[in-house]
Amino acid sequence: MVDRPHRPMALASTPGFPPQAQVTISDDNSTVKAVLPTGESVQVRLYGATVSSWKTATGKDNLWMSEAAVLDGSKAIRGGIPVVFPVFGTAPDKESVAKLPQHGFARISRWEFLGKSTSEGSSSNVKLDFGLSSENLDDNLKSLWPYKFGLLYSVALDPDSLKTTLVVTNQGDEPFEFQTLFHTYFNISDISAINIAGLEDSDYLDKVDSLKTKHQDSSITITSEMDRVYEPPKKSEVPVVISEDGEPRFEIVRDNLDQVVVWNPWTETAAKMADFAPNEGYKNMVCVEPGSLKPWQKLEKGDAFEAAQTIKLV
Ligand code: BG6
């Protein structure tokens, strides 16, 4: 094909204005998709406001999605970026959340798409906003967590980064407490070639060794099942960097998220999950999950909490 320097843009644009991101909603009203003029794309399922795909212009997905992920809204989606709220795992000893399902209800509730925007003066990015409030919860979940809340979740795509931001507001009279976390499944070529830096000098809770507290001296490599809650030194500005074969691939910058969970189920635990496929898929994923788990965040009437992760491709 002859390369014409002034060939027409594939995306719609108003004469005189640079092309904008295209945002579409699937026919079955399940998924919002945004494509940048430069070709990068993101897809968000309204079920859970789960980012289910984030592709580079070449079509490579930065996120891992199980081939057996349940996408009919009957189960949390196994892959992408599920949003954990208001409890991480389960907390049977904490009365206000004791009866909630694992990782809470945000990832299993249908959110509303609130609209798109772009940064002022730029056409090379797009932000998609989603909302979930007490009114959207099904009756069972409403009875299990009877607080009046609002969640605003923004997914902002740039050519070389994805930022997810969660704003939690207390819209009722009663204070409530919560945990939250972005459960990001990164798509990697080979778990044995991975190195995770930025959590050195952190204590961590080892969930696969009787919840013992241990200390991370050096960067992380994964050679067996790993399920750890890292507690990086406070006020640390150090990003978490996932490298493959010594080459940095993802840089995760946390804002107001004090803990980082690192999870890989490895062979046996992966085999026990009906929605995890293929069996060998654990070699191609690693979850690095920035969260606010400790202390529990408490919001008084009218108060708000905001936190974000920015994942840069490096
Ligand atoms: C991680 C937890 O965040 O999520 C693990 O630390 C858990 O303990 C994993 O197994 C997956 O959870 P789920 O509910 O999606 O199977």
Side-chain angles (χ1 to χ4, degrees):
M1 192 178 95
V2 181
D3 192 23
R4 287 187 292 146
H6 301 297
R7 67 172 180 265
M9 289 290 181
L11 295 172
S13 66
T14 310
F17 288 94
Q20 302 288 318
Q22 279 201 336
V23 176
T24 50
I25 302 178
S26 63
D27 289 344
D28 64 357
N29 217 9
S30 69
T31 312
V32 180
K33 179 173 183 181
V35 185
L36 296 183
T38 39
E40 298 80 6
S41 66
V42 68
Q43 282 190 41
V44 184
R45 292 203 157 246
L46 293 180
Y47 184 70
T50 310
V51 178
S52 52
S53 164
W54 165 34
K55 288 184 178 170
T56 62
T58 61
K60 183 179 166 61
D61 213 317
N62 299 304
L63 301 175
W64 183 84
M65 178 61 64
S66 165
E67 288 173 10
V70 178
L71 300 176
D72 65 1
S74 63
K75 191 181 190 320
I77 296 171
R78 176 74 59 207
I81 314 180
V83 178
V84 169
F85 176 91
V87 59
F88 171 71
T90 55
D93 299 336
K94 191 154 182 92
E95 205 187 327
S96 62
V97 293
K99 295 195 178 123
L100 287 178
Q102 158 118 333
H103 291 338
F105 53 71
R107 66 175 184 162
I108 53 167
S109 296
R110 190 178 160 94
W111 293 56
E112 280 179 67
F113 175 46
L114 304 176
K116 62 161 184 172
S117 55
T118 48
S119 302
E120 219 172 291
S122 171
S123 61
S124 65
N125 61 50
V126 68
K127 180 164 77 71
L128 307 172
D129 289 332
F130 301 87
L132 180 73
S133 68
S134 358
E135 281 77 50
N136 305 125
L137 290 192
D138 70 32
D139 289 344
N140 176 43
L141 290 170
K142 230 183 258 179
S143 70
L144 296 178
W145 211 69
Y147 302 99
K148 293 251 178 291
F149 69 92
L151 298 183
L152 173 64
Y153 183 52
S154 304
V155 176
L157 176 67
D158 266 277
D160 58 2
S161 73
L162 187 77
K163 180 176 185 183
T164 65
T165 306
L166 186 70
V167 179
V168 184
T169 49
N170 184 345
Q171 299 174 348
D173 295 328
E174 297 295 314
F176 62 74
E177 289 182 284
F178 66 92
Q179 298 171 309
T180 188
L181 167 142
F182 300 125
H183 200 302
T184 315
Y185 287 76
F186 289 92
N187 187 13
I188 53 170
S189 311
D190 181 2
I191 191 74
S192 67
I194 285 295
N195 177 285
I196 302 169
L199 296 170
E200 301 84 271
D201 298 325
S202 305
D203 282 344
Y204 66 88
L205 211 63
D206 194 341
K207 291 177 75 177
V208 296
D209 188 9
S210 317
L211 291 177
K212 284 183 191 149
T213 298
K214 300 182 180 174
H215 190 76
Q216 186 74 39
D217 293 317
S218 51
S219 60
I220 302 166
T221 50
I222 304 179
T223 53
S224 59
E225 181 175 3
M226 184 173 286
D227 192 359
R228 300 177 177 177
V229 181
Y230 281 90
E231 188 82 46
K234 282 266 178 295
K235 309 256 179 287
S236 161
E237 302 285 312
V238 180
V240 178
V241 178
I242 305 175
S243 298
E244 209 162 359
D245 286 321
E247 293 292 323
R249 280 199 56 202
F250 303 105
E251 181 180 290
I252 304 144
V253 177
R254 296 174 288 123
D255 182 2
N256 211 12
L257 296 168
D258 285 347
Q259 286 80 30
V260 180
V261 174
V262 178
W263 179 61
N264 183 287
W266 215 255
T267 30
E268 281 175 31
T269 302
K272 282 185 208 145
M273 288 186 274
D275 62 348
F276 194 102
N279 282 346
E280 300 285 283
Y282 74 90
K283 292 180 180 167
N284 303 119
M285 54 75 62
V286 64
C287 286
V288 178
E289 315 161 23
S292 176
L293 310 180
K294 250 185 10 186
W296 286 68
Q297 294 291 338
K298 184 170 183 179
L299 285 186
E300 302 290 340
K301 175 182 179 175
D303 277 356
F305 165 90
E306 179 168 347
Q309 68 168 350
T310 305
I311 307 168
K312 298 178 188 166
L313 301 175
V314 283

